[in-house]
Amino acid sequence: MRTRNALMGLALVGALAVGGTAMPAQAADGAAARQVAAGETRDATAHWHFYRAYWTKAACLTEGDALGYPYTCSYGKGNDGRYKWFLYLWY
C-alpha cells in the first residue's frame, strides 16, 4: 500500500512539474483569491483503514507490528462467510 501511494505521489508531482513548465507565466490582475469558508473544506482527520484479512491472530499481529502504523486486529466474519482476523491501520 505504501508503494502504491508513493508511486501515485511521484506521478502527481511529475504531472504537475511538466504541466507547470508548459504554462506561461500569468501577470497578477490585482484580484484577490476567493476565500474558502471552513464549511467548504473536507475533513482530513485520520481514521481506521482496512488493510488485510488473516486466518490467525498471530499473523495479524505480526504484520501489524511490521508495518509501523498504529493498528488493531479484530475478529469477524468475512464476505465469504468464514471467520478471520482483520487488520486495520490508523492513518
Side-chain angles (χ1 to χ4, degrees), residues 1-86:
M1 182 168 221
R2 282 191 221 173
T3 304
R4 185 181 72 189
N5 289 341
L7 290 175
M8 292 296 290
L10 288 174
L12 180 61
V13 169
L16 290 174
V18 170
T21 58
M23 294 176 59
Q26 297 178 357
D29 60 359
R34 180 179 169 271
Q35 295 292 323
V36 178
E40 295 179 81
T41 60
R42 185 173 158 220
D43 186 17
T45 57
H47 59 279
W48 292 106
H49 296 270
F50 170 75
Y51 185 72
R52 196 175 287 155
Y54 301 90
W55 292 113
T56 64
K57 184 176 183 179
C60 184
L61 294 173
T62 302
E63 182 76 13
D65 288 337
L67 291 173
Y69 288 102
Y71 70 92
T72 185
C73 291
S74 64
Y75 191 69
K77 188 184 283 190
N79 292 338
D80 60 357
R82 298 180 181 178
Y83 284 92
K84 304 172 190 175
W85 288 93
F86 297 99

